């Protein structure tokens, strides 16, 4: 028997629950907030704040919760289910084909955010995003001459079901594109600033930009790329490190889209000749996300990259990041040192800042005073003093660090060592009894020494202050739904042995990518980390202090203490069935 039929039978004999105020009745906000508190979905302060706003703005209390970002849409759906004694459906309950599609058209379903799930005999289960749609249920019951039972869906699952069952549910987006093109009526680059601002504040433009952001957040994208061309605007999402083409918008929308995003990011819409950086705070599906916006002028208009910082997706835990036990233990020893410099290196987007935040979270204790200097502050950590530099007013990294040293800190995190002055202050802080964390752009852990010497730091200072360097890369993880055991484990071992001649581990657990609907056909979902940790002990300090030191000598000495390269760490994850050998080769560039 299908899950839907079980659900229908269960609803045939509803459980009696005490009557609660319905929407619009006196006491609804208090009763619903009590339900939220009982379920542990919000705290009393948030509930009181939402009630005050709802009364002032004359809006629904439950809608205010979402607008203020106090609760996610998933948690709100769970609260609806508990309050109204209705079942909450999941993706497993989706029907194979549209139900009563000849009577209930897509336009009606989209307008009312309802979806028929199963129809048997004289009864219909109607899933809804909003449980307070008795009038819609009654209308459907009258029209179909069926008894209608309500169930609940989250908005994201509702949209996904409509897309899969009915195909094109983005007609409204296409209509918005057409409306915006009609508003522009030509090249918006020729419009004056006031007219352009008016167009950017029109509902179709607002909906179009919001839809771009929502799709990116729901698709686990880390970045949105909006790239103007001669004939169209390319909109691409970076998911798990790979860019995917999402859609193309007509070229006349260039200035309207750009202006709307710049207004949201509080940038100067009149300045189109210089790069600009800004920030957007918004709520998607009840989850607050930050978006870093960077614009740069190109031949056909301003290219925009929007970095999505979703705190709900970041787990500040070394196990979740992908560190194995040996590296985690050695890193923990370095983090407990009373002073010194610990560096994390890698290219942009390799997760360096997340690693440092994870370290700070573990060290964050009442007896320690922790400062960070960042550009920008990406995630707020309670109990940590976080400072964002403002170079435009002269408050840069060196200036901020000099001020911090007068604040009696124990631990300092520097967003990035970019120049000699910042490096010197970090070294000074280390020499005066502070533990310093920072990032550096190098290809590997051992290259950090060469990079700092190139900046102008003296070797003897490096040898006496730097305690360790960790280099890292992000690897795509195999999709848990479709990955299968490797079809040729011996061939995989042969390839590994070409790069690591003395390799001994077997490939019994190795898997390979397949591709399914859950991973959009890529075979991968989510990312893990490959890393190498270079610990600088007394013997290594002597090597670093020599003027003619060679990186190969440093690596040979480091291997005696258990050093393992990025490639070797990636191979270990291949043999554990977490990723593929091809992915490790792509990221570590080992031939």
């Amino acid at each position: 028997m299908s899950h839907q039929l079980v659900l229908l039978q269960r609803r045939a004999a509803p459980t009696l629950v005490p009557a609660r105020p319905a929407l619009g009745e006196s006491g609804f906000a208090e009763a619903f907030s009590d339900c939220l508190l009982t379920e542990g979905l919000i705290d009393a302060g948030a509930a009181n704040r939402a009630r005050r706003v709802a009364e002032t703005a004359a809006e629904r209390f439950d809608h205010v919760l979402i607008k203020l970002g106090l609760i996610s849409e998933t948690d709100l759906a769970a609260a609806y289910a508990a309050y109204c004694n209705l079942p909450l459906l999941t993706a497993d309950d989706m029907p194979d084909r549209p139900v009563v599609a000849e009577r209930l058209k897509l336009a009606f379903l989209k307008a009312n955010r309802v979806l028929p799930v199963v129809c048997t005999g004289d009864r219909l289960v109607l899933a809804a995003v909003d449980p307070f749609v008795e009038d819609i249920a009654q209308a459907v019951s009258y029209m179909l001459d069926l008894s209608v039972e309500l169930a609940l869906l989250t908005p994201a699952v509702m949209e996904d079901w409509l897309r899969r069952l009915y195909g094109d549910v983005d007609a409204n987006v296409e209509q918005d594109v057409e409306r915006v093109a009609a508003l522009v009526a030509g090249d918006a680059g020729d419009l004056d600033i006031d007219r352009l601002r008016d167009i950017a504040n029109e509902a179709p433009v607002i909906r179009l930009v919001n839809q771009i952001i929502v799709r990116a957040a729901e698709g686990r994208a880390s970045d949105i790329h909006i790239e103007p061309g001669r004939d169209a605007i390319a909109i691409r999402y970076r998911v798990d490190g790979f860019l995917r083409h999402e859609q193309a918008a007509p070229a006349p929308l260039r200035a309207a889209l750009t202006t709307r995003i710049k207004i949201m990011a509080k940038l100067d819409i009149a300045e189109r000749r210089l790069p600009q950086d800004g920030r957007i705070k918004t709520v998607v599906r009840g989850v607050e996300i930050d978006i870093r916006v960077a614009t740069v002028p190109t031949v056909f208009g301003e290219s925009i990259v929007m970095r999505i910082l979703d705190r709900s997706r970041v787990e500040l835990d070394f196990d979740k990041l992908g560190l194995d036990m040996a590296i985690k233990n050695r890193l923990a020893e370095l983090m407990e040192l009373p002073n010194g410099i610990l560096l994390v290196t890698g290219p942009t987007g390799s997760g360096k800042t997340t690693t440092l935040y994870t370290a700070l979270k573990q060290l964050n204790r009442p007896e320690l005073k922790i400062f960070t200097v960042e550009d920008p502050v990406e995630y707020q950590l309670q109990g940590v003093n976080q400072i964002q530099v403002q170079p435009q007013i002269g408050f840069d990294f060196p200036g901020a660090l000099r001020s911090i040293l007068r604040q009696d800190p124990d631990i300092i995190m520097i967003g990035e060592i970019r120049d000699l002055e910042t490096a010197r202050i970090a070294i000074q802080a280390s020499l005066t009894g502070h533990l310093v964390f920072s990032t550096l752009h190098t290809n590997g852990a051992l290259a950090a020494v060469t990079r700092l010497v190139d900046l102008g730091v003296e070797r003897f200072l490096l040898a006496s202050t730097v305690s360790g360097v960790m280099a890292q890369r992000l690897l795509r993880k195999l999709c848990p739904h479709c990955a299968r055991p490797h079809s040729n484990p011996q061939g995989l071992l042969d390839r590994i042995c070409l790069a690591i001649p003395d390799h001994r581990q077997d490939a019994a657990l190795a898997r390979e990518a397949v591709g399914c609907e859950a991973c959009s056909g890529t075979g991968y979902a989510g990312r893990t980390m490959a890393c190498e940790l270079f610990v600088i002990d007394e013997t290594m300090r002597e090597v670093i202090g020599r003027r003619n030191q060679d990186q190969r000598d440093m690596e040979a000495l480091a291997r005696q203490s258990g050093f393992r390269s990025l490639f070797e760490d990636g191979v270990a994850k291949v043999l554990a069935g977490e990723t593929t050998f091809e992915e490790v080769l792509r990221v570590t560039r080992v031939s």
Side-chain angles (χ1 to χ4, degrees), residues 471-514:
Q472 62 182 64
R473 299 289 190 278
L474 293 180
L475 301 166
R476 291 183 297 169
K477 293 198 305 185
L478 284 164
C479 174
H481 300 287
C482 63
R484 66 188 178 197
H486 203 282
S487 57
N488 185 10
Q490 186 56 49
L492 173 63
L493 281 177
D494 292 342
R495 294 179 67 190
I496 292 173
C497 289
L498 287 175
I500 311 175
D502 58 348
H503 183 78
R504 295 289 181 269
Q505 190 176 350
D506 64 46
L509 299 178
R511 299 186 298 165
E512 59 187 6
V514 178

Side-chain angles (χ1 to χ4, degrees), residues 164-205:
R164 298 188 187 193
L165 291 174
Y166 294 88
D168 181 20
V169 298
D170 297 324
N172 55 341
V173 176
E174 294 180 4
Q175 292 171 4
D176 284 339
V177 170
E178 294 173 0
R179 292 190 186 106
V180 176
L183 287 170
V184 175
D187 188 356
D190 297 331
L191 297 174
D192 61 73
I193 296 301
D194 291 336
R195 175 62 179 148
L196 199 52
R197 182 184 288 107
D198 291 341
I199 292 174
N201 287 322
E202 291 279 354
V205 183

Side-chain angles (χ1 to χ4, degrees), residues 523-580:
Y524 299 91
R527 290 194 283 183
T528 186
M529 188 167 71
C531 61
E532 60 184 29
L533 182 59
F534 174 39
V535 179
I536 301 177
D537 55 18
E538 290 304 319
T539 306
M540 188 64 70
R541 295 187 196 282
E542 294 180 9
V543 175
I544 293 174
R546 300 173 194 158
R547 183 171 297 276
N548 62 345
Q549 62 86 22
D550 185 88
Q551 187 166 313
R552 286 174 297 183
D553 297 335
M554 292 170 54
E555 181 175 353
L557 186 59
R559 286 189 178 278
Q560 295 178 16
S561 302
F563 175 81
R564 185 170 69 177
S565 69
L566 282 166
F567 175 71
E568 291 166 330
D569 189 53
V571 166
K573 288 179 167 55
V574 171
L575 298 176
E578 296 180 37
T579 187
T580 63

Side-chain angles (χ1 to χ4, degrees), residues 97-107 109 115-116 119 124 144 165-166:
R97 58 183 59 85
V99 176
V100 294
E102 69 283 356
R103 302 293 304 275
L104 297 180
K105 301 302 181 183
L106 177 60
L109 302 180
L115 178 69
C119 182
L124 172 74
L144 301 181
L165 291 174
Y166 294 88

Side-chain angles (χ1 to χ4, degrees), residues 132-248:
F132 308 110
V133 288
E134 291 87 353
D135 53 341
I136 302 297
Q138 290 174 4
V140 171
S141 176
Y142 177 78
M143 181 169 59
L144 301 181
D145 193 24
L146 294 171
S147 172
V148 173
E149 296 283 350
L150 279 178
L152 292 172
L153 278 180
T154 64
V157 174
M158 171 69 77
E159 290 182 10
D160 184 46
W161 283 22
L162 288 172
R163 185 179 297 111
R164 298 188 187 193
L165 291 174
Y166 294 88
D168 181 20
V169 298
D170 297 324
N172 55 341
V173 176
E174 294 180 4
Q175 292 171 4
D176 284 339
V177 170
E178 294 173 0
R179 292 190 186 106
V180 176
L183 287 170
V184 175
D187 188 356
D190 297 331
L191 297 174
D192 61 73
I193 296 301
D194 291 336
R195 175 62 179 148
L196 199 52
R197 182 184 288 107
D198 291 341
I199 292 174
N201 287 322
E202 291 279 354
V205 183
I206 294 173
R207 282 198 300 267
L208 185 58
V209 172
N210 289 345
Q211 183 68 19
I212 291 172
I213 294 173
V214 168
R215 280 183 173 180
E218 291 180 347
R220 302 182 300 103
S222 60
D223 302 88
I224 305 170
H225 292 247
I226 299 176
E227 303 162 337
R230 182 189 300 277
D231 302 316
I233 308 166
I235 300 174
R236 301 195 288 171
Y237 295 160
R238 188 177 295 279
V239 180
D240 293 337
F242 270 70
L243 277 173
R244 299 180 185 173
H245 182 78
E246 175 65 19
Q247 65 187 91

